[in-house]
PDB file of all heavy atoms in Angstrom:
ATOM      1  N   GLY A 185      24.607 -33.261  -8.115  1.00  0.00           N
ATOM      2  CA  GLY A 185      23.700 -33.627  -6.955  1.00  0.00           C
ATOM      3  C   GLY A 185      22.301 -33.477  -7.253  1.00  0.00           C
ATOM      4  O   GLY A 185      21.471 -34.319  -6.854  1.00  0.00           O
ATOM      5  N   ARG A 186      21.942 -32.441  -7.955  1.00  0.00           N
ATOM      6  CA  ARG A 186      20.493 -32.218  -8.305  1.00  0.00           C
ATOM      7  C   ARG A 186      19.988 -33.254  -9.299  1.00  0.00           C
ATOM      8  O   ARG A 186      18.921 -33.786  -9.138  1.00  0.00           O
ATOM      9  CB  ARG A 186      20.299 -30.826  -8.932  1.00  0.00           C
ATOM     10  CG  ARG A 186      20.583 -29.684  -7.975  1.00  0.00           C
ATOM     11  CD  ARG A 186      20.085 -28.405  -8.448  1.00  0.00           C
ATOM     12  NE  ARG A 186      20.729 -27.889  -9.641  1.00  0.00           N
ATOM     13  CZ  ARG A 186      21.803 -27.148  -9.669  1.00  0.00           C
ATOM     14  NH1 ARG A 186      22.323 -26.775  -8.528  1.00  0.00           N
ATOM     15  NH2 ARG A 186      22.319 -26.736 -10.808  1.00  0.00           N
ATOM     16  N   MET A 187      20.869 -33.644 -10.280  1.00  0.00           N
ATOM     17  CA  MET A 187      20.496 -34.688 -11.211  1.00  0.00           C
ATOM     18  C   MET A 187      20.379 -36.023 -10.570  1.00  0.00           C
ATOM     19  O   MET A 187      19.598 -36.888 -10.882  1.00  0.00           O
ATOM     20  CB  MET A 187      21.435 -34.742 -12.386  1.00  0.00           C
ATOM     21  CG  MET A 187      21.220 -33.563 -13.321  1.00  0.00           C
ATOM     22  SD  MET A 187      19.528 -33.449 -14.000  1.00  0.00           S
ATOM     23  CE  MET A 187      19.244 -35.034 -14.784  1.00  0.00           C
ATOM     24  N   LYS A 188      21.240 -36.300  -9.554  1.00  0.00           N
ATOM     25  CA  LYS A 188      21.217 -37.627  -8.869  1.00  0.00           C
ATOM     26  C   LYS A 188      19.879 -37.742  -8.169  1.00  0.00           C
ATOM     27  O   LYS A 188      19.317 -38.844  -8.104  1.00  0.00           O
ATOM     28  CB  LYS A 188      22.368 -37.639  -7.876  1.00  0.00           C
ATOM     29  CG  LYS A 188      22.449 -38.941  -7.143  1.00  0.00           C
ATOM     30  CD  LYS A 188      23.653 -39.043  -6.191  1.00  0.00           C
ATOM     31  CE  LYS A 188      23.738 -40.342  -5.467  1.00  0.00           C
ATOM     32  NZ  LYS A 188      24.949 -40.359  -4.575  1.00  0.00           N
ATOM     33  N   ARG A 189      19.352 -36.611  -7.655  1.00  0.00           N
ATOM     34  CA  ARG A 189      18.069 -36.669  -7.028  1.00  0.00           C
ATOM     35  C   ARG A 189      16.923 -36.775  -8.008  1.00  0.00           C
ATOM     36  O   ARG A 189      15.877 -37.398  -7.701  1.00  0.00           O
ATOM     37  CB  ARG A 189      17.933 -35.382  -6.182  1.00  0.00           C
ATOM     38  CG  ARG A 189      16.640 -35.251  -5.333  1.00  0.00           C
ATOM     39  CD  ARG A 189      16.679 -33.971  -4.531  1.00  0.00           C
ATOM     40  NE  ARG A 189      16.821 -32.792  -5.398  1.00  0.00           N
ATOM     41  CZ  ARG A 189      16.803 -31.522  -4.898  1.00  0.00           C
ATOM     42  NH1 ARG A 189      16.702 -31.270  -3.620  1.00  0.00           N
ATOM     43  NH2 ARG A 189      16.978 -30.563  -5.739  1.00  0.00           N
ATOM     44  N   ALA A 190      17.112 -36.122  -9.171  1.00  0.00           N
ATOM     45  CA  ALA A 190      15.982 -36.082 -10.121  1.00  0.00           C
ATOM     46  C   ALA A 190      15.871 -37.359 -10.974  1.00  0.00           C
ATOM     47  O   ALA A 190      14.781 -37.721 -11.403  1.00  0.00           O
ATOM     48  CB  ALA A 190      16.212 -34.905 -11.048  1.00  0.00           C
ATOM     49  N   MET A 191      17.016 -38.085 -11.265  1.00  0.00           N
ATOM     50  CA  MET A 191      17.019 -39.137 -12.158  1.00  0.00           C
ATOM     51  C   MET A 191      16.081 -40.256 -11.802  1.00  0.00           C
ATOM     52  O   MET A 191      15.327 -40.783 -12.733  1.00  0.00           O
ATOM     53  CB  MET A 191      18.426 -39.721 -12.352  1.00  0.00           C
ATOM     54  CG  MET A 191      19.336 -38.861 -13.206  1.00  0.00           C
ATOM     55  SD  MET A 191      18.768 -38.742 -14.956  1.00  0.00           S
ATOM     56  CE  MET A 191      19.041 -40.474 -15.466  1.00  0.00           C
ATOM     57  N   PRO A 192      16.019 -40.735 -10.597  1.00  0.00           N
ATOM     58  CA  PRO A 192      15.030 -41.874 -10.276  1.00  0.00           C
ATOM     59  C   PRO A 192      13.553 -41.445 -10.596  1.00  0.00           C
ATOM     60  O   PRO A 192      12.766 -42.234 -11.031  1.00  0.00           O
ATOM     61  CB  PRO A 192      15.256 -42.082  -8.843  1.00  0.00           C
ATOM     62  CG  PRO A 192      16.640 -41.581  -8.490  1.00  0.00           C
ATOM     63  CD  PRO A 192      16.855 -40.412  -9.418  1.00  0.00           C
ATOM     64  N   VAL A 193      13.240 -40.145 -10.369  1.00  0.00           N
ATOM     65  CA  VAL A 193      11.904 -39.710 -10.632  1.00  0.00           C
ATOM     66  C   VAL A 193      11.631 -39.616 -12.112  1.00  0.00           C
ATOM     67  O   VAL A 193      10.558 -40.022 -12.548  1.00  0.00           O
ATOM     68  CB  VAL A 193      11.664 -38.303  -9.968  1.00  0.00           C
ATOM     69  CG1 VAL A 193      10.230 -37.887 -10.072  1.00  0.00           C
ATOM     70  CG2 VAL A 193      12.153 -38.302  -8.509  1.00  0.00           C
ATOM     71  N   PHE A 194      12.614 -39.171 -12.853  1.00  0.00           N
ATOM     72  CA  PHE A 194      12.463 -39.198 -14.324  1.00  0.00           C
ATOM     73  C   PHE A 194      12.231 -40.621 -14.819  1.00  0.00           C
ATOM     74  O   PHE A 194      11.348 -40.876 -15.650  1.00  0.00           O
ATOM     75  CB  PHE A 194      13.735 -38.645 -15.002  1.00  0.00           C
ATOM     76  CG  PHE A 194      13.704 -37.194 -15.305  1.00  0.00           C
ATOM     77  CD1 PHE A 194      14.709 -36.312 -14.739  1.00  0.00           C
ATOM     78  CD2 PHE A 194      12.712 -36.646 -16.069  1.00  0.00           C
ATOM     79  CE1 PHE A 194      14.665 -34.956 -15.030  1.00  0.00           C
ATOM     80  CE2 PHE A 194      12.690 -35.280 -16.363  1.00  0.00           C
ATOM     81  CZ  PHE A 194      13.699 -34.434 -15.839  1.00  0.00           C
TER      82      PHE A 194
END
Side-chain angles (χ1 to χ4, degrees):
R186 295 196 294 272
M187 284 307 299
K188 184 177 180 180
R189 183 178 56 178
M191 283 297 292
V193 187
F194 268 123

